[in-house]
Amino acid sequence: MADATISASAAPVVGAALPHDSAQKHVTGRALYIDDMPEPPGLLHLAIGMSERAHARIVAMDFSAVLASPGVVAVLTAKDIPARNDVSPIMGDDPLFAEHEVLYHGQSLFAVAAETREAARRAVRFAKIDYEDLPAILTISDARAANARIEKSRSLTKGDTSAALSRSAHRIEGTLGIGGQDHFYLEGHIAMAVPGEDGDLTIYSSTQNPTETQLVIAHLLGKPAHAVVCEVRRMGGAFGGKETQSALIAAACALAAVKTGHAAKLRLDRDDDMILTGKRHDFETRYAIGVDADGRITAADIELASRCGYSADLSMAINDRAMFHADNAYFLPAANILSHRYRTNTVSNTAFRGFGGPQGMMVVERAMDAIAIRLGRDPLDIRKLNLYGPARDETPYGQRVEQHVIAELIDQLEESSSYRARRKAIHAWNSRSAHIKRGISLTPVKFGISFTATHLNQAGALVHVYQDGSVQLNHGGTEMGQGLMIKVAQVVAAEFGLPLSAIRIMPTSTAKVPNTSATAASAGTDLNGMAARNAAQTIKARLIGFIAQTYSIDEAEIRFANGVVHAGTTTIPFAQAASEAYFARVSLSATGYYKTPKIGWDREAGKGRPFFYYAWGAAVSEATINTLTGENRILRTDILHDCGKSLNPAIDLGQIEGGFIQGLGWLTSEELVFDDKGRLRTHAPSTYKIPTASDRPEMHIALFDNQNDEDSIYRSKAVGEPPLMLAISAFSAIYDAIAAVGDHSIPPHLDAPATPERVLAAINGVRGGPA
Ligand code: MTE
Ligand code: MOS
C-alpha cells in the first residue's frame, strides 16, 4: 500500500481496546477545532446583544453608538433576516433575534459584526434598548399558578393505581426537587460561515446536528438546502448542549456572511454561553408508593414537573423520556406517571446527557431509600426485591423487558464491591463517630436505547475505496469526544479485513451524507456503525463478484483478512484487488443506510415499543459527610456496566467514568441560581462548581460480560448516556449518611444537588430542628 503507516495486523480490530483516534492530538493541542482553523481574509467577528430583562416589550433599539464604535462593520437585527426569524428545532418559537418582546434574561436581540472579536464585544454594550417590563414567570411554582405550559400534561398509566395504593400495606410519600445543569463543554459554542459562489454558504459549526444547522440556515435565509453545507470535524464536548442550541450561533454567522459578503465567526465567551443557551431541566417531583409487607411495590403514583424555559425546544421528548425512566429498573405492577411541562421566562432548557431520564429515575430511587427506612431494611434488599425479571417484565408504557441481566449484574457488583461487609463497617464507624457520618448505596440503571421520535432512528454513510486500497469513511454522526469515529472506523476496518490505519476518518458534512439525525440518544455508533458497515458490504460484494470472476473461484471462498483478500489458495493484497477492480471498471464507492428495526409507539396512547433495547449498569458509592458543615465527598465508587459486546473497551471505560463524574457534579456541586429578576447568577466557574480531579473518588470500573440480544452492531450496546445515572448511587449514599444521623429511622429530606447547605438542612430536619 502507498501509505507506509498502513500495515496489516492479525489482531481483531473490533472489540480491541484502542485509544481514541484523536487522543494524541487532544493532549498535544494539535486537534483542530473551529477556532484553530485558518481565518479567511476579511473575516468578521460577531458578538451577540442580549436582553437585560426576563420579560419585556421592546420599545426602541438605538444602535448609533454601536455603529460609531471603532471596527464595527454592521449591526444585524430581526429586520435583516430575509426569510424566517427562527432557529428552533420543531415548534418555530426560537427567534434568532427577538423583535417585539424578550422572553428571558440573556435572550439574543441583535449581533454586531466587527473587524476583531474585541471590537465586537466592546461595541455590543453601547446599544440603547428601551424596555417596558412585563410580569415574568420564573419558577415552576409561578408557572403552575399561571398555568403556563409548553404543551398539555402527559401521562403513562398501567392498571388501577389508586385502588392498588389504597390496598397497600404501606404507603410512602414524598417530594424531591432536582436541579438543572450547565453542559460546561470545554469548547464553548462557536461557528464560522464562509460565503462562496452563487449564494452558497459553508458553515463550520460546533454542532451535534449538521443537518438541522443546514436546514435552519436555509429557512432563515430563504435558500434551498443544497446551497448550505455544514461541516463538523469535532466538538470539544457537547453533552446534548449542541443538539439544538448551536443553531443560533451558526445562523448569526450565516446571516452576517450573507449581509456583508465576508466570512463571519462567532465564539461565545463562557459567561455568555452559560446565560444565552439552554441547560438540563430542573424538576419538582412528588411520589406516593404502595408496598406490601415485604417491601415489594404494589403501585406507584409519580408526578413530574419540569421548567422548560421560554420555548419548547426538545422539552416534549425530554419530558417523555423522564416518564419512560420513572420506573428505572423496577417492575411497577400499577403505575400512574404524570408529567407537567412548564413554560417560564428563563432560558429554554434542552438536551443534556440522559435527556430527562436521569430526573425520571431519581424519584423512584429516592422512594427505594424511603421504603427501606420505613421498613427498617437495607435499601439494597428493597431494590433487589423490585427488579424487573421474567414474568415481572412489563413497563408502564407496555414495552416488555426482554433481557434479564440486572439481578445477576447486581449480585456480581455486590460481591466485588464487598457491599455487605462495608455496610457493616460503616455502621460500626457511624456508631463511634459523632460528627462525621458515612453512607453507602447501590443503585441500578436501565436506559432505553433509541430516539423516542421514531423517524430519527436512521443513518447514512458514504465509503470510498481508492486505487491504493486506502479507505475514506464518511457518515452522519459527529465526534464530540465520545469515540464515535474510531468505533465506526473499527467496524469498516473489520469489514474489509484492513488495519485501522487504512481507514481515514473524514469530517462530518451534509454534502457527503444528507438528512442525518443529531448525534444523540447514545445511538451514534448503533446507527452510523450499521450504515457504514452497509456501505462497506456493498463495495465488498462488488469486489467479491469481480474477484470470483477474474480468478474463476467460488464467491464463498473469498475472505478479507489481514490486509489481503483470500481467494481460495490465492492471496491478493487488498490494494492490488482495489487497483485491479478499478481497471476493470468496478465502482469502489458506496452509500450505506440503516434504520432501527422493531420500534414504534403511540404518543397519545402512551403505549408501544419506544426502545430497541435497554442498556444496564449499577454502581456502589460510599460517601462521607461532615454533620457540622454539610460538606461531603464520595470516597469510593464501584461500577459494573453493560456495553453488550464492547466494540472498544478503552472508549467504553472512558465513557463510563466520564459519565459518572458528570452525573456526580450534577447531583452534588453544580448549582444553577437564578435571582428574582430571572438573571442567572452562576455563569462562570467561579460560582458554578463542576467536579475537579480531586473530587474523583477511588474508582473500580468493570464491563459486565454480556452481548446484546438484539442484532445491534457486533452485539454491542450504546454507552454515551447511561453511566451518568450511575451517579445516583452517590446522591443516595449521601442520603444514607444523613439518615445515619437519625439511626435510619427518620427519612431525611434532601433535594439535589447535595450542596453543603442542603445537606446541613437535611441533617437539621432529621434532628427535628428547622430545615
Ligand atoms: N462524551 C464526550 N467525551 N463528550 C460529549 O459531549 N456527549 C454524551 C455522550 N458522551 C458526550 C460524550 C451524549 S449527551 C450523548 S447522547 C452521546 O455521547 C452521543 O454520542 P454517541 O451516540 O456516539 O454515544
Ligand atoms: Mo445526548 S443528551 O442525547 O446529546
Side-chain angles (χ1 to χ4, degrees):
M1 287 176 205
D3 186 338
T5 65
I6 299 175
S7 63
S9 135
V13 68
V14 158
L18 299 166
H20 193 286
D21 46 279
S22 296
Q24 287 197 5
K25 286 181 282 186
H26 288 154
V27 296
T28 55
R30 278 177 298 147
L32 295 183
Y33 295 86
I34 291 170
D35 214 29
D36 302 317
M37 293 172 63
E39 297 188 341
L43 176 78
L44 297 176
H45 298 263
L46 304 190
I48 298 281
M50 290 153 65
S51 165
E52 294 164 301
R53 298 289 190 280
H55 189 197
R57 204 169 68 77
I58 302 168
V59 180
M61 297 198 270
D62 175 2
F63 299 114
S64 45
V66 180
L67 286 162
S69 185
V72 170
V73 173
V75 171
L76 303 163
T77 68
K79 293 194 173 58
D80 295 296
I81 296 171
R84 206 175 77 187
N85 182 12
D86 178 44
V87 294
S88 75
I90 304 167
M91 298 298 281
D93 54 355
D94 290 310
L96 169 57
F97 300 128
E99 193 165 10
H100 306 295
E101 191 181 359
V102 288
L103 295 171
Y104 74 96
H105 189 279
Q107 186 171 5
S108 160
L109 286 170
F110 64 96
V112 177
E115 284 157 7
T116 64
R117 188 165 179 266
E118 291 61 40
R121 286 173 54 75
R122 191 182 320 114
V124 131
R125 286 179 287 160
F126 300 145
K128 289 199 185 69
I129 315 289
D130 281 342
Y131 302 95
E132 182 188 309
D133 281 318
L134 297 168
I137 293 168
L138 298 176
T139 62
I140 290 173
S141 42
D142 288 353
R144 190 183 280 126
N147 197 26
R149 299 159 188 272
I150 61 132
E151 67 162 343
K152 69 175 185 184
S153 297
R154 303 235 165 217
S155 60
L156 298 177
T157 52
K158 176 183 173 190
D160 187 342
T161 302
S162 53
L165 262 178
S166 56
R167 279 198 309 267
S168 300
H170 303 276
R171 184 189 171 109
I172 284 99
E173 293 181 85
T175 63
L176 175 64
I178 306 164
Q181 187 178 22
D182 188 86
H183 301 84
F184 224 99
Y185 21 61
L186 285 181
E187 178 208 37
H189 279 285
I190 183 167
M192 180 165 77
V194 183
E197 290 184 356
D198 300 325
D200 287 358
L201 271 177
T202 302
I203 315 290
Y204 302 93
S205 169
S206 186
T207 183
Q208 296 170 249
N209 206 339
T211 289
E212 192 167 281
T213 306
Q214 173 195 28
L215 295 181
V216 159
I217 289 171
H219 290 155
L220 187 100
L221 300 175
K223 287 180 186 288
H226 72 204
V228 181
V229 172
C230 181
E231 184 182 306
V232 183
R233 173 57 187 95
R234 61 168 64 78
M235 288 160 271
F239 309 111
K242 296 172 180 173
E243 193 171 335
T244 62
Q245 304 290 298
S246 47
L248 185 146
I249 289 85
C253 294
L255 180 64
V258 164
K259 283 283 153 183
T260 65
H262 289 279
K265 178 156 95 175
L266 171 55
R267 170 164 62 84
L268 292 183
D269 158 83
R270 176 67 61 184
D271 301 69
D272 291 350
D273 191 303
M274 292 185 75
I275 292 168
L276 180 73
T277 68
K279 311 175 191 314
R280 184 188 293 287
H281 293 64
D282 47 326
F283 274 58
E284 284 179 8
T285 70
R286 190 192 58 73
Y287 60 88
I289 309 282
V291 293
D292 66 16
D294 296 332
R296 208 176 259 119
I297 293 178
T298 52
D301 185 14
I302 294 173
E303 193 175 333
L304 308 170
S306 76
R307 174 158 66 169
C308 299
Y310 84 97
S311 70
D313 187 75
L314 301 173
S315 291
M316 292 81 73
I318 290 164
N319 285 279
D320 286 353
R321 188 170 277 270
M323 294 165 74
F324 286 135
H325 289 81
D327 57 345
N328 193 11
Y330 310 111
F331 175 67
L332 307 176
N336 181 26
I337 299 159
L338 178 62
S339 153
H340 309 294
R341 296 103 196 261
Y342 288 119
R343 186 189 294 277
T344 49
N345 293 112
T346 49
V347 66
S348 192
N349 283 330
T350 194
F352 196 137
R353 208 171 194 170
F355 206 78
Q359 296 94 318
M361 284 179 196
M362 282 284 283
V363 187
V364 75
E365 291 302 338
R366 166 55 54 82
M368 289 294 155
D369 288 336
I371 295 166
I373 288 174
R374 172 76 68 86
L375 271 57
R377 302 271 300 278
D378 187 316
L380 178 55
D381 293 329
I382 300 296
R383 287 185 164 93
K384 287 169 81 163
L385 206 54
N386 283 291
L387 294 173
Y388 278 109
R392 288 164 53 86
D393 61 353
E394 193 190 335
T395 61
Y397 44 95
Q399 176 162 356
R400 287 185 188 275
V401 174
E402 288 167 339
Q403 194 178 40
H404 296 294
V405 295
I406 189 61
E408 188 193 333
L409 189 154
I410 288 178
D411 284 347
Q412 282 184 25
L413 181 65
E414 178 183 340
E415 190 66 33
S416 65
S417 68
S418 314
Y419 175 88
R420 300 288 170 181
R422 285 165 64 201
R423 163 71 67 195
K424 269 205 197 105
I426 288 166
H427 216 71
W429 160 279
N430 284 339
S431 61
R432 288 190 314 265
S433 172
H435 300 312
I436 307 293
K437 298 288 180 189
R438 288 190 176 185
I440 189 167
S441 178
L442 186 156
T443 61
V445 167
K446 160 179 137 288
F447 195 74
I449 303 299
S450 292
F451 287 97
T452 57
T454 307
H455 73 275
L456 295 176
N457 296 286
Q458 57 174 321
L462 174 65
V463 173
H464 304 314
V465 175
Y466 292 92
Q467 293 170 54
D468 65 354
S470 64
V471 179
Q472 264 192 0
L473 168 60
N474 302 274
H475 57 77
T478 56
E479 178 66 39
M480 56 197 94
Q482 85 277 37
L484 168 67
M485 292 295 175
I486 190 169
K487 283 183 172 178
V488 179
Q490 286 174 268
V491 166
V492 170
E495 204 57 54
F496 287 127
L498 289 171
L500 199 59
S501 54
I503 316 296
R504 176 68 66 174
I505 292 163
M506 297 304 289
T508 311
S509 168
T510 57
K512 294 286 182 64
V513 180
N515 309 322
T516 57
S517 299
T519 306
S522 305
T525 303
D526 287 20
L527 297 172
N528 296 288
M530 280 293 200
R533 184 165 76 166
N534 177 237
Q537 282 174 341
T538 300
I539 298 171
K540 204 167 127 179
R542 291 185 202 138
L543 282 172
I544 289 173
F546 162 71
I547 291 165
Q549 207 179 28
T550 313
Y551 293 83
S552 313
I553 192 157
D554 205 48
E555 289 196 359
E557 284 180 57
I558 300 174
R559 272 187 322 110
F560 291 63
N562 305 331
V564 296
V565 185
H566 298 271
T569 50
T570 316
T571 59
I572 313 154
F574 184 83
Q576 186 189 327
S579 169
E580 287 178 13
Y582 162 74
F583 280 104
R585 297 190 296 171
V586 175
S587 165
L588 294 174
S589 171
T591 59
Y593 183 78
Y594 175 74
K595 58 179 175 189
T596 312
K598 294 190 176 178
I599 48 173
W601 76 290
D602 179 341
R603 186 162 189 252
E604 289 311 316
K607 294 283 176 197
R609 178 175 183 163
F611 305 118
F612 187 27
Y613 63 87
Y614 296 102
W616 304 90
V620 178
S621 289
E622 183 173 342
T624 176
I625 63 169
N626 181 330
T627 59
L628 301 176
T629 64
E631 287 164 287
N632 57 80
R633 62 177 296 119
I634 303 304
L635 301 173
R636 171 176 164 184
T637 295
D638 295 53
I639 292 172
L640 188 55
H641 196 78
D642 164 32
C643 300
K645 222 160 131 41
S646 172
L647 284 172
N648 184 330
I651 295 287
D652 287 349
L653 288 170
Q655 285 291 294
I656 294 165
E657 179 167 343
F660 173 85
I661 297 289
Q662 191 165 41
L664 183 67
W666 167 49
L667 292 174
T668 59
S669 62
E670 296 181 39
E671 189 172 28
L672 293 165
V673 178
F674 290 88
D675 68 13
D676 60 3
K677 292 192 164 61
R679 296 179 297 191
L680 178 64
R681 304 317 286 171
T682 50
H683 51 75
S686 52
T687 45
Y688 186 78
K689 293 297 180 193
I690 62 169
T692 63
S694 60
D695 295 310
R696 178 188 182 277
E698 174 191 330
M699 292 189 81
H700 305 269
I701 308 174
L703 302 184
F704 181 65
D705 185 17
N706 195 23
Q707 61 166 31
N708 202 335
D709 273 354
E710 298 296 345
D711 188 15
S712 62
I713 187 79
Y714 285 92
R715 301 276 166 180
S716 65
K717 287 192 181 184
V719 69
E721 295 165 288
L724 181 131
M725 289 150 270
L726 297 170
I728 297 173
S729 63
F731 186 69
S732 174
I734 293 170
Y735 185 88
D736 187 55
I738 298 168
V741 173
D743 247 346
H744 292 274
S745 60
I746 303 155
H749 185 91
L750 176 72
D751 290 337
T755 56
E757 294 85 344
R758 288 211 183 82
V759 169
L760 207 52
I763 292 166
N764 285 339
V766 168
R767 288 185 172 142

